Amino acid sequence: MSTDLGGEIDLLIGVVLGLVIAWLVHRTIVWIRAWWYRWLGRRGEANAESLLKAAGYTIVDAQLRLPCRYHVGGEMVPYAVRADFMVEKDGRRYVAEAKNGTTASDPRTTATRRQLLEYAVVFAAHGVLLVDVPGRRVRVVEFE
């Protein structure tokens, strides 16, 4: 009884090669998607900066990262909050967040509202600005 392993080895090599190619295609798509969103984000933030300046705000800082912490059951949990801009107008400082999507730039969207509320609590500023890039407007958001 003789067995021909050549066909089985060829099949195994084909399957492995197919898996490697599928993995490479997947990684390439992931990389392109990440690059695309970074490019859109930079373009959106450049547009947001122009909108803020046109509305009379002076850019004090960009891409601020503030370390914070909270306690859960006596354990300290560190985290960081990142805001797009710190701006100033008429001697008052504001934290500004740029949003590019139509739902994200709506302050009634739960995630956006919560993010802006966190900024209002964490940053020592007079207020929070929502820069609606698609709508080309700067909105002051205030919490009671």
Side-chain angles (χ1 to χ4, degrees):
M1 182 157 126
S2 98
T3 53
D4 180 21
L5 293 177
E8 292 173 359
I9 291 174
D10 289 345
L11 177 62
L12 181 61
I13 290 171
V15 168
V16 169
L17 188 59
L19 289 172
V20 168
I21 289 170
W23 180 81
L24 287 171
V25 167
H26 170 73
R27 293 306 306 158
T28 301
I29 290 169
V30 167
W31 180 84
I32 289 170
R33 178 184 281 165
W35 174 85
W36 177 251
Y37 284 120
R38 279 192 309 272
W39 182 80
L40 283 177
R42 283 192 297 270
R43 196 175 112 212
E45 287 181 7
N47 290 339
E49 189 172 338
S50 297
L51 289 170
L52 286 164
K53 288 178 179 177
Y57 294 94
T58 302
I59 308 295
V60 175
D61 203 351
Q63 299 302 313
L64 298 123
R65 186 175 157 86
L66 184 65
C68 301
R69 62 182 181 203
Y70 61 96
H71 298 270
V72 178
E75 180 184 339
M76 184 192 65
V77 180
Y79 70 104
V81 176
R82 188 196 60 79
D84 291 328
F85 300 100
M86 179 68 75
V87 299
E88 203 170 73
K89 182 177 182 179
D90 300 327
R92 298 173 65 95
R93 284 202 167 191
Y94 299 87
V95 178
E97 177 66 15
K99 294 293 185 188
N100 286 304
T102 53
T103 56
S105 58
D106 182 352
R108 293 171 295 197
T109 302
T110 302
T112 300
R113 184 190 69 242
R114 288 178 177 170
Q115 183 180 19
L116 298 177
L117 177 59
E118 183 178 46
Y119 290 172
V121 171
V122 169
F123 288 94
H126 289 102
V128 180
L129 304 176
L130 178 59
V131 184
D132 176 1
V133 177
R136 305 213 35 86
R137 63 184 171 170
V138 177
R139 302 166 80 178
V140 177
V141 179
E142 298 173 325
F143 295 93
E144 290 187 9

